[in-house]
Amino acid sequence: MSLKGKVNKIIKFSNVDGPGNRMAIFFQKCNFNCEYCHNPETINLCKNCGLCIEGCPTKALNLKEKKIEWNEELCCECDKCTKICPHNSSPKIYSYTIDDLLEKIEKVKPFIKGITVSGGESTLQADFIAELFIQVKKKWPKLTCFVDTNGGVNLKDEKYKKLVENTDFFMLDIKAWDKVEHLNITGKDVDTVIENLYFLRDINKLFEVRSVIVSERINNRLTVEHVSRIISEKETRYKIIKYRNYGVRENMKSNLFSPTDQELKELEEIAKENGVKNTLII
Amino acid sequence: MILETIKSQKITFEQKVVALARLAEGSIEVLNKSEALKKYIEDGIICDLFEGNAPYRPRYIVPDYDIFMEQGSKFLNIDKPTNIWEAVHGLLILYKHVPSITTMPVYLGNIDYLLEPFIKDEDEAYLAIKLFLKHIDSTITDSFCHANIGPKETKAGLLILKAMRELELPTPNLTIKYTEETTGRISVEAIKTALVTAKPSFANDKIFRDDFKGEYGIVSCYNGLKVGGGANTLVRVRLGALSKLAQSKEDFLIRVLPEVSKEMLDYIDERSRFIIEESGFYESSFLIKEGLLEKEKFTGLFGFVGLAECVNNLLGATEKKERFGYSDDANALALEIVSTMHKIIANHKTQYAGEFFENTHLLHSQVGIDTDRNESPGCRIPVGEEPEIFEHIMKSAPFHQYCPSGIGDIFVFDETYKSNPEAILDIIKGAFETNLRFFSLYSDTCDVVRVTGYLVKKSEIEKLDKGEQVLRDTTILGKGARDNAKALGRKLRSE
């Protein structure tokens, strides 16, 4: 049986997922559960519980042989199903073969600099993505292949070798430097993430590090201080992202605070003082 | 009407002089018009875009400014320039003497190449360029005035882009000629400038250069014309209104379209004849005598608007998926209409189009006028119905081959693109690879915006809304296009 990838959605043209215009492929399933997750419906695979069916206004969802079936034609994209879902999942998942995705890339190929896989957490489907990248490079050597990752799996492991070899650049999230803070905000330890930061830097495959800045909850200065020192010798960009509560789960919002523009500027200043040549606040 | 114009407090002195001249020209009838043509004009199907009853100068003039820089002008008593100040000074004088339908020049030359030999000290050059641009904006008070840069990166080109970003003025309009040899650096600078001040547009240099067998200029809105020549006249047909005269799509293609095309071509010939044979322009203008223009490089333009409305009418398409821009059938019919017009024009040999064009007129996808209702510009997908950008480009590109003298689309990008202008360059490269001829962009935060082809300041339209005077004619047109054709309501392209 050929490999299949579970994909939540594809954005044909994206200007925020790496250099130039890129096709961004968002894979389903994540090993973190970040409090400020903007698309919590990408965290888990569907359990086929059927709770979403009732809420669908256009009857685009049905239960067939104990599995949820989604009819894209009928779907009005109201997203009621993902709001109802108690499991942080979505019934609207595509199961794609490599060829399916190659066909989609082919259509937009003249307009893009490359593709970026994101999520969810794309590295959880590393074998599929490695094979996809191999095929993309074989067909269109000029397109670049980027991975956007939370750094939660150890990319030094042998099982990720093929993925790392065939990825042009990674974009890595460092959500907090402090162990406890990282655990609190993501549900996972930061150690592997930091190991990945050094590893990707040393093999010259780190395009960008991103830190989401949440006021009060995280010692953002500590995070930016450490990260910027580590990446400053290389061309790596540091993207400082303002936390916005758009799309965040209702029950999480009360703990999360947006930083002021002044705070963001101060953090950018720290990164610059530590020698980062390319910084960006968004 | 004359007294009303004289007494008006809403228009400037200059605008009054032009309006009075138009009234004088309109008071005589010197052109031969058939009864059928008169009927089409009366019904609003054929329209000469306010060119007047007695044309005494070509509509669009594209002087060869290289010749001027080489020899100066005997008539204007200007010597060949030797430094940046003499260069901009000479050009500014010459511009005042280049006529057009608006009375003001529609083409200023490849201003980067013209100034590049004089860029010695960059600070001094930057000051000269800024004053040059400011002077143009304040004295050529109409943004159909168009300058070109590129395709090669020059110091002058980079300074012009920087100055335009700083000045945020609507005039002159600007296009960068883009090929594979245009550097990434100047392309990205151009996009950054466009995201602030809605210019430059990008012209697909390869396509234009092939069509015009070498040097061409982008003038007025986006019109491609031969350098050293121009267009005597532009007459247009409103395809949306025309489609209502047809019983079926077959009837439209076989009877209605050829009939109206014949009247259009005869009218283009007649207007051109008057300019060439009776007005004395080609005998008396110093631009001809000094070699900046050649009669044989002039043609006439056959313009059209409302392809979308025409196709939707003929197919009775009401559902989105049946309409132009979405349905394969609708797009195939549209392509057949445009290629039919193209063929009719190519087969019409006339002594009133120059030898350079093998004695034919050119097809032009016209952007519309401020009073148009229910007619979208040329081949454009109507504002409010735009598909996603990838589909939009793919669906529009096939039409661009048929319109050498101009066609193009406008895309509005959100602010996030300011952090990643390379993303827009990737889209433009892809668009040109799919043979799109012309690409315009601006961002939703611009004060200077592109209306249909020309530029206006939103803040100036607001003045007009309050009944105040404005400096530029085009602001008045922009207000009309906003009110009548939703021209400022284009789909915002975000990530």
Side-chain angles (χ1 to χ4, degrees):
Chain A
M1 202 184 97
S2 61
L3 276 173
K4 283 203 171 178
K6 299 232 181 292
V7 172
N8 179 279
K9 78 171 168 190
I10 293 177
I11 293 181
K12 285 195 194 114
F13 286 6
S14 163
N15 69 16
V16 293
D17 292 292
N21 191 40
R22 313 187 70 81
M23 181 191 249
I25 306 169
F26 295 87
F27 284 81
Q28 182 73 15
K29 202 161 186 265
C30 191
N31 45 354
F32 284 14
N33 186 355
C34 301
E35 288 185 8
Y36 54 62
C37 183
H38 286 62
N39 36 25
E41 75 283 359
T42 64
I43 295 175
N44 293 311
L45 287 178
C46 176
K47 292 183 161 62
N48 296 302
C49 70
L51 282 174
C52 54
I53 294 174
E54 285 291 298
C56 177
T58 57
K59 302 206 181 328
L61 297 171
N62 287 297
L63 202 60
K64 202 175 171 190
E65 289 166 15
K66 294 185 182 169
K67 289 218 161 154
I68 306 271
E69 211 178 54
W70 169 51
N71 185 335
E72 195 179 352
E73 298 257 303
L74 294 176
C75 178
C76 65
E77 292 170 43
C78 68
D79 281 336
K80 283 202 175 122
C81 53
T82 55
K83 280 179 198 129
I84 292 168
C85 178
H87 308 296
N88 293 323
S89 183
S90 165
K92 301 184 292 177
I93 300 302
Y94 303 87
S95 203
Y96 285 136
T97 63
I98 305 272
D99 284 344
D100 293 337
L101 286 176
L102 292 175
E103 207 176 292
K104 291 193 180 293
I105 297 166
E106 170 118 57
K107 275 194 181 169
V108 297
K109 195 214 93 197
F111 300 90
I112 56 173
K113 201 161 253 119
I115 63 167
T116 298
V117 297
S118 185
E121 173 51 35
S122 56
T123 59
L124 300 181
Q125 299 182 56
D127 292 342
F128 178 84
I129 291 166
E131 191 53 37
L132 173 69
F133 285 2
I134 289 169
Q135 295 304 325
V136 167
K137 285 170 178 298
K138 205 187 274 175
K139 269 181 102 100
W140 307 294
K142 276 188 183 164
L143 293 188
T144 54
C145 298
F146 277 55
V147 171
D148 176 5
T149 177
N150 61 23
V153 305
N154 197 330
L155 293 167
K156 268 192 285 190
D157 277 4
E158 186 63 25
K159 63 191 271 205
Y160 298 108
K161 194 168 176 238
K162 204 159 107 182
L163 175 70
V164 173
E165 273 177 4
N166 289 287
T167 300
D168 293 290
F169 283 101
F170 287 81
M171 294 181 292
L172 176 69
D173 294 346
I174 308 276
K175 295 167 199 277
W177 193 265
D178 181 88
K179 284 185 182 210
V180 179
E181 283 174 8
H182 193 273
L183 188 63
N184 285 343
I185 204 107
T186 70
K188 282 278 155 54
D189 286 337
V190 75
D191 302 354
T192 312
V193 183
I194 293 174
E195 257 186 81
N196 281 322
L197 174 68
Y198 283 108
F199 170 62
L200 294 173
R201 178 196 70 172
D202 294 343
I203 61 167
N204 292 319
K205 288 206 176 190
L206 191 56
F207 173 77
E208 174 178 286
V209 177
R210 298 125 170 245
S211 292
V212 176
I213 307 303
V214 186
S215 273
E216 297 176 42
R217 283 295 304 285
I218 300 172
N219 185 344
N220 300 300
R221 284 175 162 270
L222 182 80
T223 310
V224 174
E225 271 288 351
H226 278 94
V227 170
S228 52
R229 288 220 176 102
I230 292 164
I231 66 173
S232 63
E233 296 152 29
K234 300 282 169 81
E235 293 298 310
T236 305
R237 173 163 78 182
Y238 200 175
K239 202 185 237 180
I240 293 165
I241 303 172
K242 179 180 185 167
Y243 163 73
R244 296 170 172 88
N245 66 16
Y246 174 78
V248 173
R249 286 166 282 191
E250 287 302 322
N251 56 343
M252 302 286 185
K253 281 183 186 169
S254 57
N255 262 334
L256 299 162
F257 308 98
S258 274
T260 62
D261 291 346
Q262 184 57 31
E263 275 180 85
L264 296 168
K265 274 198 193 121
E266 281 167 23
L267 294 169
E268 188 183 34
E269 237 4 85
I270 293 172
K272 281 184 177 161
E273 275 167 24
N274 284 340
V276 179
K277 291 169 212 73
N278 188 352
T279 58
L280 183 66
I281 296 176
I282 62 161
Chain B
M1 198 61 179
I2 293 179
L3 192 60
E4 207 177 291
T5 305
I6 289 173
K7 287 183 171 181
S8 170
Q9 296 192 27
K10 285 189 178 166
I11 55 175
T12 64
F13 168 72
E14 300 293 340
Q15 288 159 3
K16 283 183 188 182
V17 174
V18 174
L20 289 170
R22 282 187 200 282
L23 288 169
E25 192 192 341
S27 70
I28 54 170
E29 284 287 351
V30 294
L31 300 174
N32 297 313
K33 294 179 192 166
S34 72
E35 288 309 311
L37 175 69
K38 283 184 197 162
K39 175 92 171 75
Y40 280 126
I41 292 176
E42 240 173 67
D43 294 346
I45 289 172
I46 289 179
C47 142
D48 61 21
L49 296 157
F50 314 113
E51 283 190 3
N53 289 352
Y56 52 96
R57 73 297 199 196
R59 182 182 180 95
Y60 301 128
I61 289 177
V62 190
D64 188 334
Y65 292 106
D66 286 342
I67 293 177
F68 171 76
M69 295 306 256
E70 216 25 70
Q71 66 189 25
S73 167
K74 276 207 178 106
F75 182 74
L76 297 174
N77 193 22
I78 300 173
D79 291 333
K80 174 182 164 74
T82 60
N83 61 47
I84 186 79
W85 297 107
E86 287 176 1
V88 297
H89 187 249
L91 285 169
L92 288 171
I93 294 172
L94 177 56
Y95 293 155
K96 307 289 191 307
H97 300 280
V98 177
S100 81
I101 194 63
T102 63
T103 75
M104 289 169 258
V106 292
Y107 176 67
L108 303 180
N110 244 83
I111 53 174
D112 56 343
Y113 287 20
L114 295 173
L115 299 179
E116 184 69 7
F118 307 104
I119 310 274
K120 308 289 179 222
D121 175 288
E122 282 200 27
D123 289 343
E124 189 184 17
Y126 187 59
L127 177 62
I129 283 169
K130 261 172 76 173
L131 293 175
F132 173 67
L133 293 172
K134 180 75 188 114
H135 186 118
I136 291 166
D137 180 70
S138 303
T139 59
I140 305 173
T141 52
D142 174 305
S143 79
F144 293 116
C145 166
H146 206 138
N148 296 182
I149 58 170
K152 285 193 176 135
E153 180 188 310
T154 55
K155 273 185 221 154
L158 292 167
L159 293 175
I160 288 162
L161 290 170
K162 186 177 156 201
M164 284 193 165
R165 212 151 59 211
E166 199 176 311
L167 292 167
E168 290 192 57
L169 298 170
T171 311
N173 202 337
L174 186 73
T175 286
I176 180 166
K177 296 169 173 174
Y178 181 89
T179 61
E180 280 175 1
E181 67 170 347
T182 311
T183 64
R185 181 179 179 207
I186 197 161
S187 308
V188 166
E189 286 301 304
I191 289 165
K192 281 192 198 157
T193 305
L195 290 173
V196 173
T197 190
K199 59 187 164 182
S201 295
F202 281 67
N204 189 334
D205 187 71
K206 188 182 177 309
I207 294 186
F208 277 110
R209 216 164 272 280
D210 286 351
D211 282 342
F212 289 96
K213 296 170 229 159
E215 216 45 49
Y216 65 96
I218 302 296
V219 324
S220 191
C221 286
Y222 54 34
N223 312 8
L225 288 168
K226 184 67 189 165
V227 168
N232 285 309
T233 180
L234 162 57
V235 178
R236 66 165 199 171
V237 55
R238 293 178 61 176
L239 294 176
L242 181 71
S243 66
K244 291 178 183 155
L245 306 183
Q247 314 292 327
S248 64
K249 64 178 192 185
E250 290 76 18
D251 184 40
F252 184 81
L253 283 164
I254 293 163
R255 183 182 64 88
V256 176
L257 191 58
E259 275 178 17
V260 83
S261 300
K262 182 187 174 300
E263 293 301 328
M264 288 269 290
L265 287 164
D266 287 349
Y267 192 38
I268 293 169
D269 280 349
E270 174 63 5
R271 299 191 66 83
S272 308
R273 182 196 64 77
F274 189 82
I275 297 170
I276 295 166
E277 294 180 353
E278 301 202 39
S279 78
F281 176 83
Y282 288 101
E283 286 74 34
S284 63
S285 170
F286 78 97
L287 296 167
I288 298 274
K289 287 180 188 161
E290 296 190 358
L292 275 64
L293 295 176
E294 287 172 53
K295 195 180 90 182
E296 292 308 325
K297 290 180 179 166
F298 277 81
T299 179
L301 302 186
F302 183 114
F304 64 94
V305 291
L307 181 66
E309 287 74 14
C310 173
V311 168
N312 292 341
N313 272 344
L314 291 173
L315 296 177
T318 47
E319 293 280 313
K320 184 170 149 185
K321 63 179 182 198
E322 300 168 343
R323 288 166 79 81
F324 176 67
Y326 294 87
S327 135
D328 289 344
D329 286 349
N331 282 25
L333 174 60
L335 215 50
E336 202 176 344
I337 292 169
V338 175
S339 69
T340 302
M341 285 191 290
H342 185 259
K343 252 182 253 153
I344 292 172
I345 295 164
N347 289 332
H348 177 79
K349 297 287 174 188
T350 166
Q351 57 178 311
Y352 303 116
E355 279 170 19
F356 182 86
F357 294 99
E358 290 160 13
N359 306 108
T360 59
H361 299 306
L362 298 180
L363 187 59
H364 173 75
S365 170
Q366 206 259 330
V367 292
I369 51 177
D370 57 325
T371 50
D372 279 347
R373 283 172 198 268
N374 303 322
E375 299 280 355
S376 291
C379 298
R380 284 190 199 155
I381 298 167
V383 169
E385 292 187 29
E386 301 101 322
E388 64 175 312
I389 187 162
F390 157 72
E391 292 287 343
H392 196 142
I393 292 168
M394 298 300 278
K395 292 271 158 56
S396 301
F399 296 95
H400 285 219
Q401 59 184 307
Y402 296 111
C403 303
S405 79
I407 181 168
D409 226 318
I410 306 171
F411 299 95
V412 188
F413 291 94
D414 80 10
E415 255 201 308
T416 59
Y417 282 88
K418 288 185 179 170
S419 317
N420 189 359
E422 289 85 0
I424 296 179
L425 183 58
D426 287 334
I427 294 172
I428 294 171
K429 282 182 186 168
F432 285 0
E433 209 174 294
T434 49
N435 289 325
L436 204 83
R437 184 182 286 273
F438 201 81
F439 187 106
S440 298
L441 66 134
Y442 60 90
S443 95
D444 58 335
T445 53
C446 288
D447 184 25
V448 177
V449 294
R450 191 169 293 272
V451 180
T452 50
Y454 59 91
L455 303 160
V456 301
K457 267 175 116 78
K458 284 193 270 189
S459 53
E460 290 277 303
I461 294 186
E462 283 164 23
K463 271 195 200 168
L464 214 52
D465 287 338
K466 290 183 215 150
E468 294 173 27
Q469 278 187 5
V470 290
L471 183 61
R472 299 171 197 89
D473 292 348
T474 22
T475 310
I476 300 166
L477 305 180
K479 176 176 152 58
R482 178 202 62 185
D483 296 343
N484 295 329
K486 298 185 284 185
L488 300 184
R490 284 186 193 90
K491 180 170 178 159
L492 181 64
R493 314 294 172 155
S494 49
E495 165 269 309

